[in-house]
PDB file of all heavy atoms in Angstrom:
ATOM      1  N   MET A 759       0.832  -1.212   0.026  1.00  0.00           N
ATOM      2  CA  MET A 759       0.024  -0.005   0.000  1.00  0.00           C
ATOM      3  C   MET A 759       0.846   1.245   0.002  1.00  0.00           C
ATOM      4  O   MET A 759       0.561   2.221  -0.686  1.00  0.00           O
ATOM      5  CB  MET A 759      -0.935   0.016   1.234  1.00  0.00           C
ATOM      6  CG  MET A 759      -1.905  -1.124   1.282  1.00  0.00           C
ATOM      7  SD  MET A 759      -2.883  -1.147   2.787  1.00  0.00           S
ATOM      8  CE  MET A 759      -3.897   0.296   2.594  1.00  0.00           C
ATOM      9  N   PHE A 760       1.962   1.240   0.762  1.00  0.00           N
ATOM     10  CA  PHE A 760       2.751   2.457   0.936  1.00  0.00           C
ATOM     11  C   PHE A 760       3.593   2.814  -0.280  1.00  0.00           C
ATOM     12  O   PHE A 760       3.546   3.930  -0.745  1.00  0.00           O
ATOM     13  CB  PHE A 760       3.677   2.312   2.135  1.00  0.00           C
ATOM     14  CG  PHE A 760       4.565   3.537   2.331  1.00  0.00           C
ATOM     15  CD1 PHE A 760       4.110   4.696   2.862  1.00  0.00           C
ATOM     16  CD2 PHE A 760       5.888   3.466   1.906  1.00  0.00           C
ATOM     17  CE1 PHE A 760       4.936   5.824   3.022  1.00  0.00           C
ATOM     18  CE2 PHE A 760       6.722   4.566   2.039  1.00  0.00           C
ATOM     19  CZ  PHE A 760       6.226   5.729   2.601  1.00  0.00           C
ATOM     20  N   TRP A 761       4.375   1.873  -0.797  1.00  0.00           N
ATOM     21  CA  TRP A 761       5.392   2.205  -1.819  1.00  0.00           C
ATOM     22  C   TRP A 761       4.761   2.844  -3.091  1.00  0.00           C
ATOM     23  O   TRP A 761       5.193   3.929  -3.461  1.00  0.00           O
ATOM     24  CB  TRP A 761       6.202   0.956  -2.199  1.00  0.00           C
ATOM     25  CG  TRP A 761       7.227   0.660  -1.142  1.00  0.00           C
ATOM     26  CD1 TRP A 761       8.193   1.514  -0.634  1.00  0.00           C
ATOM     27  CD2 TRP A 761       7.389  -0.563  -0.402  1.00  0.00           C
ATOM     28  NE1 TRP A 761       8.954   0.886   0.344  1.00  0.00           N
ATOM     29  CE2 TRP A 761       8.491  -0.368   0.501  1.00  0.00           C
ATOM     30  CE3 TRP A 761       6.727  -1.807  -0.440  1.00  0.00           C
ATOM     31  CZ2 TRP A 761       8.922  -1.417   1.373  1.00  0.00           C
ATOM     32  CZ3 TRP A 761       7.172  -2.781   0.408  1.00  0.00           C
ATOM     33  CH2 TRP A 761       8.244  -2.602   1.283  1.00  0.00           C
ATOM     34  N   PRO A 762       3.799   2.230  -3.754  1.00  0.00           N
ATOM     35  CA  PRO A 762       3.278   2.846  -4.978  1.00  0.00           C
ATOM     36  C   PRO A 762       2.538   4.152  -4.707  1.00  0.00           C
ATOM     37  O   PRO A 762       2.621   5.090  -5.461  1.00  0.00           O
ATOM     38  CB  PRO A 762       2.386   1.802  -5.573  1.00  0.00           C
ATOM     39  CG  PRO A 762       2.015   0.897  -4.444  1.00  0.00           C
ATOM     40  CD  PRO A 762       3.170   0.913  -3.504  1.00  0.00           C
ATOM     41  N   SER A 763       1.737   4.171  -3.608  1.00  0.00           N
ATOM     42  CA  SER A 763       0.876   5.355  -3.356  1.00  0.00           C
ATOM     43  C   SER A 763       1.752   6.534  -2.917  1.00  0.00           C
ATOM     44  O   SER A 763       1.480   7.695  -3.266  1.00  0.00           O
ATOM     45  CB  SER A 763      -0.155   5.034  -2.299  1.00  0.00           C
ATOM     46  OG  SER A 763       0.428   4.520  -1.129  1.00  0.00           O
ATOM     47  N   ASN A 764       2.808   6.269  -2.131  1.00  0.00           N
ATOM     48  CA  ASN A 764       3.677   7.408  -1.758  1.00  0.00           C
ATOM     49  C   ASN A 764       4.405   7.973  -2.936  1.00  0.00           C
ATOM     50  O   ASN A 764       4.574   9.185  -3.093  1.00  0.00           O
ATOM     51  CB  ASN A 764       4.654   6.961  -0.670  1.00  0.00           C
ATOM     52  CG  ASN A 764       5.530   8.081  -0.155  1.00  0.00           C
ATOM     53  OD1 ASN A 764       5.058   8.928   0.584  1.00  0.00           O
ATOM     54  ND2 ASN A 764       6.797   8.115  -0.589  1.00  0.00           N
ATOM     55  N   THR A 765       4.903   7.085  -3.817  1.00  0.00           N
ATOM     56  CA  THR A 765       5.562   7.549  -5.027  1.00  0.00           C
ATOM     57  C   THR A 765       4.596   8.359  -5.881  1.00  0.00           C
ATOM     58  O   THR A 765       4.949   9.444  -6.439  1.00  0.00           O
ATOM     59  CB  THR A 765       6.089   6.369  -5.858  1.00  0.00           C
ATOM     60  OG1 THR A 765       6.991   5.592  -5.066  1.00  0.00           O
ATOM     61  CG2 THR A 765       6.828   6.853  -7.109  1.00  0.00           C
ATOM     62  N   SER A 766       3.368   7.895  -6.005  1.00  0.00           N
ATOM     63  CA  SER A 766       2.371   8.632  -6.750  1.00  0.00           C
ATOM     64  C   SER A 766       2.085  10.025  -6.140  1.00  0.00           C
ATOM     65  O   SER A 766       1.948  11.001  -6.820  1.00  0.00           O
ATOM     66  CB  SER A 766       1.049   7.801  -6.819  1.00  0.00           C
ATOM     67  OG  SER A 766       0.067   8.510  -7.552  1.00  0.00           O
ATOM     68  N   SER A 767       2.076  10.039  -4.794  1.00  0.00           N
ATOM     69  CA  SER A 767       1.859  11.325  -4.086  1.00  0.00           C
ATOM     70  C   SER A 767       2.964  12.308  -4.354  1.00  0.00           C
ATOM     71  O   SER A 767       2.718  13.482  -4.578  1.00  0.00           O
ATOM     72  CB  SER A 767       1.745  11.042  -2.573  1.00  0.00           C
ATOM     73  OG  SER A 767       1.528  12.251  -1.860  1.00  0.00           O
ATOM     74  N   VAL A 768       4.230  11.813  -4.331  1.00  0.00           N
ATOM     75  CA  VAL A 768       5.363  12.671  -4.599  1.00  0.00           C
ATOM     76  C   VAL A 768       5.312  13.266  -5.982  1.00  0.00           C
ATOM     77  O   VAL A 768       5.417  14.462  -6.211  1.00  0.00           O
ATOM     78  CB  VAL A 768       6.715  11.871  -4.452  1.00  0.00           C
ATOM     79  CG1 VAL A 768       7.881  12.714  -4.954  1.00  0.00           C
ATOM     80  CG2 VAL A 768       6.923  11.557  -2.945  1.00  0.00           C
ATOM     81  N   MET A 769       5.108  12.380  -7.014  1.00  0.00           N
ATOM     82  CA  MET A 769       5.111  12.895  -8.369  1.00  0.00           C
ATOM     83  C   MET A 769       3.898  13.704  -8.712  1.00  0.00           C
ATOM     84  O   MET A 769       3.964  14.637  -9.511  1.00  0.00           O
ATOM     85  CB  MET A 769       5.251  11.689  -9.342  1.00  0.00           C
ATOM     86  CG  MET A 769       6.509  10.844  -9.146  1.00  0.00           C
ATOM     87  SD  MET A 769       8.060  11.789  -9.098  1.00  0.00           S
ATOM     88  CE  MET A 769       8.104  12.477 -10.715  1.00  0.00           C
ATOM     89  N   SER A 770       2.739  13.384  -8.137  1.00  0.00           N
ATOM     90  CA  SER A 770       1.527  14.146  -8.381  1.00  0.00           C
ATOM     91  C   SER A 770       1.646  15.589  -7.840  1.00  0.00           C
ATOM     92  O   SER A 770       1.067  16.525  -8.411  1.00  0.00           O
ATOM     93  CB  SER A 770       0.319  13.475  -7.764  1.00  0.00           C
ATOM     94  OG  SER A 770       0.109  12.189  -8.352  1.00  0.00           O
ATOM     95  N   ASN A 771       2.365  15.755  -6.747  1.00  0.00           N
ATOM     96  CA  ASN A 771       2.497  17.074  -6.125  1.00  0.00           C
ATOM     97  C   ASN A 771       3.705  17.801  -6.614  1.00  0.00           C
ATOM     98  O   ASN A 771       4.016  18.931  -6.169  1.00  0.00           O
ATOM     99  CB  ASN A 771       2.565  16.925  -4.587  1.00  0.00           C
ATOM    100  CG  ASN A 771       1.199  16.545  -3.996  1.00  0.00           C
ATOM    101  OD1 ASN A 771       0.234  17.282  -4.103  1.00  0.00           O
ATOM    102  ND2 ASN A 771       1.149  15.372  -3.408  1.00  0.00           N
ATOM    103  N   SER A 772       4.459  17.219  -7.557  1.00  0.00           N
ATOM    104  CA  SER A 772       5.652  17.848  -8.094  1.00  0.00           C
ATOM    105  C   SER A 772       5.359  18.544  -9.416  1.00  0.00           C
ATOM    106  O   SER A 772       4.700  17.999 -10.292  1.00  0.00           O
ATOM    107  CB  SER A 772       6.746  16.787  -8.296  1.00  0.00           C
ATOM    108  OG  SER A 772       7.885  17.357  -8.932  1.00  0.00           O
ATOM    109  N   PRO A 773       5.839  19.797  -9.597  1.00  0.00           N
ATOM    110  CA  PRO A 773       5.710  20.488 -10.872  1.00  0.00           C
ATOM    111  C   PRO A 773       6.442  19.701 -11.991  1.00  0.00           C
ATOM    112  O   PRO A 773       7.467  19.046 -11.673  1.00  0.00           O
ATOM    113  CB  PRO A 773       6.343  21.852 -10.623  1.00  0.00           C
ATOM    114  CG  PRO A 773       6.396  22.011  -9.176  1.00  0.00           C
ATOM    115  CD  PRO A 773       6.511  20.657  -8.597  1.00  0.00           C
ATOM    116  N   ARG A 774       5.927  19.716 -13.220  1.00  0.00           N
ATOM    117  CA  ARG A 774       6.537  18.944 -14.295  1.00  0.00           C
ATOM    118  C   ARG A 774       8.032  19.276 -14.451  1.00  0.00           C
ATOM    119  O   ARG A 774       8.833  18.382 -14.729  1.00  0.00           O
ATOM    120  CB  ARG A 774       5.780  19.187 -15.598  1.00  0.00           C
ATOM    121  CG  ARG A 774       6.402  18.487 -16.796  1.00  0.00           C
ATOM    122  CD  ARG A 774       5.498  18.600 -18.010  1.00  0.00           C
ATOM    123  NE  ARG A 774       4.346  17.751 -17.890  1.00  0.00           N
ATOM    124  CZ  ARG A 774       4.329  16.450 -18.202  1.00  0.00           C
ATOM    125  NH1 ARG A 774       5.412  15.884 -18.643  1.00  0.00           N
ATOM    126  NH2 ARG A 774       3.208  15.761 -18.079  1.00  0.00           N
ATOM    127  N   GLU A 775       8.398  20.569 -14.284  1.00  0.00           N
ATOM    128  CA  GLU A 775       9.807  20.950 -14.482  1.00  0.00           C
ATOM    129  C   GLU A 775      10.697  20.384 -13.388  1.00  0.00           C
ATOM    130  O   GLU A 775      11.936  20.406 -13.533  1.00  0.00           O
ATOM    131  CB  GLU A 775       9.979  22.463 -14.558  1.00  0.00           C
ATOM    132  CG  GLU A 775       9.617  23.221 -13.289  1.00  0.00           C
ATOM    133  CD  GLU A 775       8.174  23.570 -13.128  1.00  0.00           C
ATOM    134  OE1 GLU A 775       7.365  23.021 -13.941  1.00  0.00           O
ATOM    135  OE2 GLU A 775       7.817  24.410 -12.290  1.00  0.00           O
ATOM    136  N   LEU A 776      10.099  19.838 -12.310  1.00  0.00           N
ATOM    137  CA  LEU A 776      10.883  19.261 -11.194  1.00  0.00           C
ATOM    138  C   LEU A 776      10.738  17.738 -11.152  1.00  0.00           C
ATOM    139  O   LEU A 776      11.135  17.128 -10.146  1.00  0.00           O
ATOM    140  CB  LEU A 776      10.477  19.888  -9.892  1.00  0.00           C
ATOM    141  CG  LEU A 776      10.793  21.370  -9.670  1.00  0.00           C
ATOM    142  CD1 LEU A 776      10.318  21.810  -8.286  1.00  0.00           C
ATOM    143  CD2 LEU A 776      12.299  21.601  -9.801  1.00  0.00           C
ATOM    144  N   TYR A 777      10.158  17.136 -12.167  1.00  0.00           N
ATOM    145  CA  TYR A 777       9.985  15.693 -12.156  1.00  0.00           C
ATOM    146  C   TYR A 777      11.282  14.947 -11.901  1.00  0.00           C
ATOM    147  O   TYR A 777      11.385  14.076 -11.051  1.00  0.00           O
ATOM    148  CB  TYR A 777       9.441  15.181 -13.539  1.00  0.00           C
ATOM    149  CG  TYR A 777       7.931  15.232 -13.660  1.00  0.00           C
ATOM    150  CD1 TYR A 777       7.298  14.985 -14.881  1.00  0.00           C
ATOM    151  CD2 TYR A 777       7.114  15.576 -12.536  1.00  0.00           C
ATOM    152  CE1 TYR A 777       5.904  15.025 -15.018  1.00  0.00           C
ATOM    153  CE2 TYR A 777       5.733  15.623 -12.660  1.00  0.00           C
ATOM    154  CZ  TYR A 777       5.131  15.335 -13.901  1.00  0.00           C
ATOM    155  OH  TYR A 777       3.783  15.401 -14.029  1.00  0.00           O
ATOM    156  N   GLY A 778      12.339  15.294 -12.660  1.00  0.00           N
ATOM    157  CA  GLY A 778      13.662  14.633 -12.446  1.00  0.00           C
ATOM    158  C   GLY A 778      14.185  14.873 -11.084  1.00  0.00           C
ATOM    159  O   GLY A 778      14.674  13.970 -10.402  1.00  0.00           O
ATOM    160  N   SER A 779      14.145  16.131 -10.646  1.00  0.00           N
ATOM    161  CA  SER A 779      14.692  16.487  -9.298  1.00  0.00           C
ATOM    162  C   SER A 779      13.930  15.801  -8.218  1.00  0.00           C
ATOM    163  O   SER A 779      14.497  15.298  -7.234  1.00  0.00           O
ATOM    164  CB  SER A 779      14.649  18.024  -9.129  1.00  0.00           C
ATOM    165  OG  SER A 779      15.479  18.638 -10.071  1.00  0.00           O
ATOM    166  N   SER A 780      12.567  15.799  -8.322  1.00  0.00           N
ATOM    167  CA  SER A 780      11.762  15.180  -7.276  1.00  0.00           C
ATOM    168  C   SER A 780      11.951  13.655  -7.230  1.00  0.00           C
ATOM    169  O   SER A 780      12.012  13.049  -6.170  1.00  0.00           O
ATOM    170  CB  SER A 780      10.267  15.500  -7.522  1.00  0.00           C
ATOM    171  OG  SER A 780      10.025  16.866  -7.408  1.00  0.00           O
ATOM    172  N   SER A 781      12.064  13.053  -8.426  1.00  0.00           N
ATOM    173  CA  SER A 781      12.333  11.624  -8.512  1.00  0.00           C
ATOM    174  C   SER A 781      13.643  11.304  -7.894  1.00  0.00           C
ATOM    175  O   SER A 781      13.781  10.347  -7.101  1.00  0.00           O
ATOM    176  CB  SER A 781      12.308  11.196  -9.978  1.00  0.00           C
ATOM    177  OG  SER A 781      12.718   9.831 -10.115  1.00  0.00           O
ATOM    178  N   GLY A 782      14.686  12.073  -8.198  1.00  0.00           N
ATOM    179  CA  GLY A 782      15.999  11.865  -7.598  1.00  0.00           C
ATOM    180  C   GLY A 782      15.987  12.107  -6.122  1.00  0.00           C
ATOM    181  O   GLY A 782      16.632  11.372  -5.349  1.00  0.00           O
ATOM    182  N   LEU A 783      15.307  13.160  -5.692  1.00  0.00           N
ATOM    183  CA  LEU A 783      15.253  13.480  -4.266  1.00  0.00           C
ATOM    184  C   LEU A 783      14.562  12.358  -3.466  1.00  0.00           C
ATOM    185  O   LEU A 783      14.975  12.013  -2.361  1.00  0.00           O
ATOM    186  CB  LEU A 783      14.515  14.809  -4.050  1.00  0.00           C
ATOM    187  CG  LEU A 783      14.441  15.341  -2.592  1.00  0.00           C
ATOM    188  CD1 LEU A 783      15.831  15.500  -2.028  1.00  0.00           C
ATOM    189  CD2 LEU A 783      13.698  16.671  -2.606  1.00  0.00           C
ATOM    190  N   LEU A 784      13.509  11.789  -4.045  1.00  0.00           N
ATOM    191  CA  LEU A 784      12.829  10.699  -3.393  1.00  0.00           C
ATOM    192  C   LEU A 784      13.737   9.512  -3.178  1.00  0.00           C
ATOM    193  O   LEU A 784      13.810   8.945  -2.103  1.00  0.00           O
ATOM    194  CB  LEU A 784      11.594  10.263  -4.200  1.00  0.00           C
ATOM    195  CG  LEU A 784      10.826   8.991  -3.726  1.00  0.00           C
ATOM    196  CD1 LEU A 784      10.276   9.208  -2.318  1.00  0.00           C
ATOM    197  CD2 LEU A 784       9.751   8.638  -4.716  1.00  0.00           C
TER     198      LEU A 784
END
């Protein structure tokens, strides 16, 4: 339950121009 939904929460709340940075930061 946690892993996919938390990843989805991170990317959904991240601006498109920060997709790479947010993915890397996670």
